[in-house]
Amino acid sequence: MKTSLLPVLLIISLQLFAQSSDTLSSLYKNTAESIIGGKAKLGIGGYGEVHYNQPLKAGMRSNGTLDVHRIVMFMGYNFSPKTQFVTELEVEYAREIWIEQAFVQHKILPFLNFRAGLLLIPMGIINEYHEPTTFHGVERPVTDNRLSISTWREVGAGFSGNILPASLKYQAYVVGGLNGYDTKGQFNGSSGLREGRQKGSKAYVNTPCFTGKLEYYGLRNLNLGLSGYFGNSQSKLFSSIHKDSISQNLQADSSVVKISMLGFDTRYRMQAFEFRGQVYYTALGNTLQYNKFTSSGGKGNDLGKAMAGFYAEAAFNLLSFAGQCKSELLPFVRYEYMNTHHQVDSNTAKNDKYESKIITTGITYRLNRNAVIKSDLQFIKTAADSEFSKTANFGVGVMF
Amino acid sequence: MNEYLKFSGLTARLILLLFIFTSADVDSGVRTAVDYNPVSLHKEAARIFGDEILEIKEFPAGNVTEGMSGKFFTVQTTDKVKGYAYIGRVNSCRAGGCAAPRLLVTGEESEYFDYFTLYDSLKSVLLVKVYNYQATHGQEITARGWLRQFKGYNGSAELEVGRQVDAISGATISVFGIVEDVREKTKLLKNM
């Protein structure tokens, strides 16, 4: 294994060296100097959002939440016009530090780029375009949170590019899988696969997973996307077991779920009108064994056999007719449906709590391209509820 | 059992092959300088002006082109100027996302696109076409239908994103980039 990787690393490092040699003149300048000198190869940017969430319940007092939800520092470095490094350093909830992206991109041909490192899984819209100025509503759509488990990122490698004559963009990566079982089962009916994200933090692997996205942008103002994710969940039980031990292998196999996720998304914008929509479908295999194996206290786990959801969102810029006004005031409404128990195995009863309808409506005030003030009301009703629960949300978001 | 290991061995060999291939092909692979003679320009010029167009000749633009990543051309028969062309580069989105402002403005960007504009003899826009897109996001601007919005622009009327030109969500930088560039280059051409 190691012997086959060595020449690869050697070639990569030779390539990097060859490319850095043409920039020797800037070797002895520090970052600030090279930026001032007009030869900046380092790009710095970022985004952030601060939220206030207030549950509203008639006749009841409820505490609100004030949260610096995320502050992200972006850094990019161009080694050459062909090779760059991109990273996003994130602080969540004002205290948790995460890396959201960290990859090297190398252009091989005009339509073929190689990428390796911590990559965003290209499922749906929000996972890739998650900056607060790019979506409506204070919080990200609930379906993105639960089904495409945004911000979903794993270590991997693969290719991306644009095929211009066909108006197609593709991405295809091999990535590390979700943690389905370490000391206990990580998937369940209520949070779906969300707790299995390894986020490139000492992630363990035993089988590779595949993800990709194909986008068509040949029609004016319209973007259509088809994304997929396929593979088995990872299990720590595969560590240090004998290849030939049937019982050990059978036990480990019971801790694995087969995941096939498909997503379709569309974005459309015409003058003052904006529309976007997404559909997700996740088929899960081996859930009967998995739920049995990960039962606790004599009670079987309740991971669904299929999860499904969609949303549709429309917004209209009221200031589009207001002369020279550069800001935008967009009332919007989004309808979401989500069911993590779309289908269940024969041992699991459908839980109505996992089927929800969510209506989010509010106003996005774009002060300019990169600063936004948001407010909305969110109504959530599960199939087990008789009425909608309400939350008022307020937030500011920036990107630079 | 450990499929990942098996698989990564295979991938490693594949990548090795690819890198050997690309090292041998360093110069012809990705064109990093602007291609001032794109095939599509000749095609479109012939389609619009007819087959008697013989030459697309660099326009003596004097000092205005200095420090600019683009050039002006005349589209002409042997004796008559039928129209003009501009070919140039716009630096675009960063790889991490497309809504941020342009971060890097040097000659070393990895994120850019090349386009041309064809003008009639009165210097108003006939066609804008993106013929090389090397940015990670914002590729929606290459759609023919969207680029048709520039037709008729001659530098005198307003050209603002969100008004005369539709914004595209997820392609903000590329949209503003090309709109600003077409506006600026059309005004430059007007004054020549």
Side-chain angles (χ1 to χ4, degrees):
Chain A
M1 183 58 233
K2 274 185 182 152
T3 48
S4 71
L5 260 179
L6 203 64
V8 176
L9 290 173
L10 197 70
I11 299 276
I12 292 173
S13 55
L14 276 178
Q15 288 235 333
L16 291 178
F17 179 74
Q19 275 158 4
S20 61
S21 64
D22 58 18
T23 61
L24 269 178
S25 57
S26 57
L27 198 64
Y28 298 103
K29 284 182 186 165
N30 66 23
T31 308
E33 277 171 338
S34 54
I35 288 171
I36 292 163
K39 290 259 179 198
K41 291 182 160 197
L42 177 72
I44 294 177
Y47 68 89
E49 47 190 340
V50 181
H51 296 168
Y52 167 42
N53 312 100
Q54 180 63 58
L56 305 170
K57 215 168 183 184
M60 301 276 279
R61 286 173 184 272
S62 315
N63 286 343
T65 311
L66 299 168
D67 188 25
V68 184
H69 201 138
R70 41 176 79 83
I71 297 290
V72 176
M73 287 302 298
F74 163 91
M75 270 185 287
Y77 193 85
N78 283 334
F79 299 100
S80 81
K82 281 182 175 185
T83 310
Q84 61 191 139
F85 176 68
V86 169
T87 185
E88 275 183 19
L89 236 110
E90 174 182 45
V91 180
E92 267 191 355
Y93 314 114
R95 58 191 295 181
E96 291 175 18
I97 295 180
W98 292 101
I99 307 292
E100 216 163 59
Q101 305 188 58
F103 62 84
V104 169
Q105 175 164 293
H106 182 73
K107 284 191 173 100
I108 298 168
L109 291 165
F111 53 87
L112 184 70
N113 299 288
F114 172 72
R115 266 187 187 192
L118 184 66
L119 306 171
L120 291 174
I121 306 294
M123 285 297 301
I125 302 169
I126 293 287
N127 211 49
E128 279 193 281
Y129 298 95
H130 49 240
E131 291 84 354
T133 49
T134 63
F135 63 90
H136 294 295
V138 175
E139 302 292 342
R140 295 175 184 178
V142 181
T143 41
D144 282 300
N145 185 288
R146 298 283 177 77
L147 296 181
S148 71
I149 51 178
S150 177
T151 311
W152 187 4
R153 68 272 189 189
E154 298 291 347
V155 174
F159 300 97
S160 71
N162 271 303
I163 301 163
L164 219 49
S167 297
L168 285 175
K169 177 184 175 175
Y170 68 90
Q171 298 180 73
Y173 310 119
V174 186
V175 292
L178 293 164
N179 170 20
Y181 190 95
D182 40 26
T183 51
K184 60 178 176 40
Q186 293 292 335
F187 305 146
N188 58 45
S190 95
S191 66
L193 306 174
R194 189 171 174 83
E195 297 308 313
R197 293 178 303 166
Q198 301 203 65
K199 305 172 184 174
S201 172
K202 288 190 176 170
Y204 70 96
V205 283
N206 37 61
T207 60
C209 294
F210 303 90
T211 183
K213 184 167 187 181
L214 198 61
E215 285 170 72
Y216 177 72
Y217 48 86
L219 297 170
R220 178 174 168 175
N221 304 350
L222 180 73
N223 184 301
L224 297 171
L226 184 68
S227 42
Y229 176 91
F230 307 94
N232 287 353
S233 71
Q234 314 295 301
S235 167
K236 283 207 168 161
L237 296 181
F238 282 111
S239 198
S240 354
I241 60 171
H242 286 287
K243 283 190 174 177
D244 316 320
S245 163
I246 292 172
S247 64
Q248 283 181 328
N249 278 296
L250 275 178
Q251 192 196 31
D253 282 341
S254 309
S255 65
V256 167
V257 173
K258 289 187 194 323
I259 304 165
S260 309
M261 196 182 287
L262 272 181
F264 169 77
D265 60 77
T266 178
R267 285 175 274 150
Y268 182 72
R269 183 160 173 165
M270 185 55 115
Q271 292 169 346
F273 176 75
E274 288 179 16
F275 175 83
R276 57 168 67 182
Q278 282 191 173
V279 182
Y280 296 108
Y281 187 86
T282 308
L284 299 170
N286 203 38
T287 53
L288 187 67
Q289 286 80 355
Y290 183 81
N291 283 336
K292 266 187 208 164
F293 188 75
T294 56
S295 58
S296 64
K299 219 173 145 231
N301 195 353
D302 62 349
L303 179 65
K305 216 168 81 177
M307 307 194 283
F310 70 87
Y311 77 70
E313 176 191 278
F316 188 85
N317 177 20
L318 291 177
L319 296 181
S320 64
F321 307 111
Q324 284 305 300
C325 191
K326 290 228 171 175
S327 48
E328 295 183 332
L329 189 66
L330 298 120
F332 75 94
V333 60
R334 178 170 68 233
Y335 178 83
E336 295 181 68
Y337 169 85
M338 187 188 65
N339 191 353
T340 51
H341 265 184
H342 184 67
Q343 278 174 37
V344 287
D345 61 59
S346 53
N347 260 6
T348 308
K350 263 196 187 186
N351 190 336
D352 283 346
K353 278 189 192 159
Y354 300 157
E355 182 181 358
S356 8
K357 287 174 185 156
I358 304 123
I359 297 163
T360 312
T361 181
I363 291 179
T364 300
Y365 182 32
R366 282 189 195 128
L367 299 165
N368 59 48
R369 268 192 270 169
N370 299 306
V372 67
I373 298 174
K374 297 172 172 184
S375 67
D376 67 65
L377 274 173
Q378 195 161 55
F379 303 87
I380 302 183
K381 185 162 113 48
T382 71
D385 300 329
S386 56
E387 58 185 85
F388 282 92
S389 69
K390 301 172 207 55
T391 309
N393 302 301
F394 304 90
V396 289
V398 293
M399 157 155 221
F400 53 87
Chain B
M1 185 41 51
N2 207 328
E3 288 171 49
Y4 192 81
L5 212 65
K6 235 187 286 169
F7 187 82
S8 49
L10 197 80
T11 324
R13 276 175 212 122
L14 205 79
I15 292 166
L16 175 67
L17 268 175
L18 207 66
F19 268 89
I20 291 170
F21 163 70
T22 53
S23 329
D25 196 37
V26 157
D27 292 324
S28 59
V30 179
R31 198 187 289 273
T32 52
V34 183
D35 174 10
Y36 285 115
N37 198 19
V39 181
S40 52
L41 174 65
H42 291 273
K43 262 192 202 160
E44 296 291 353
R47 188 176 63 81
I48 289 173
F49 296 104
D51 288 333
E52 74 269 26
I53 294 298
L54 298 172
E55 267 185 303
I56 294 175
K57 222 163 99 180
E58 206 166 315
F59 193 32
N63 287 329
V64 283
T65 50
E66 212 168 275
M68 199 171 88
S69 54
K71 287 178 184 173
F72 288 101
F73 298 83
T74 52
V75 180
Q76 58 185 80
T77 57
T78 33
D79 52 354
K80 194 166 179 246
V81 172
K82 301 277 257 191
Y84 300 88
Y86 170 77
I87 302 176
R89 172 164 296 180
V90 175
N91 291 315
S92 185
C93 319
R94 60 183 172 89
C98 198
R102 273 176 280 175
L103 290 161
L104 303 158
V105 187
T106 72
E108 292 276 344
E109 282 78 11
S110 319
E111 302 275 311
Y112 59 82
F113 59 86
D114 298 331
Y115 79 101
F116 65 76
T117 306
L118 278 172
Y119 297 90
D120 63 16
S121 56
L122 300 171
K123 300 175 178 174
S124 75
V125 175
L126 292 168
L127 174 89
V128 176
K129 190 180 173 85
V130 179
Y131 64 91
N132 179 23
Y133 198 85
Q134 291 301 322
T136 315
H137 297 290
Q139 60 283 344
E140 290 87 350
I141 65 149
T142 61
R144 200 176 263 271
W146 188 82
L147 291 169
R148 216 169 280 146
Q149 297 177 97
F150 292 107
K151 197 175 173 184
Y153 178 70
N154 61 10
S156 57
E158 292 279 322
L159 191 69
E160 290 283 340
V161 177
R163 312 209 171 278
Q164 291 79 19
V165 182
D166 286 335
I168 303 173
S169 60
T172 314
I173 298 305
S174 294
V175 167
F176 277 87
I178 194 166
V179 169
E180 276 161 24
D181 211 60
V182 169
R183 193 195 300 135
E184 185 190 310
K185 298 302 160 8
T186 306
K187 283 179 178 165
L188 268 177
L189 177 67
K190 269 283 180 201
N191 294 328
M192 280 182 209

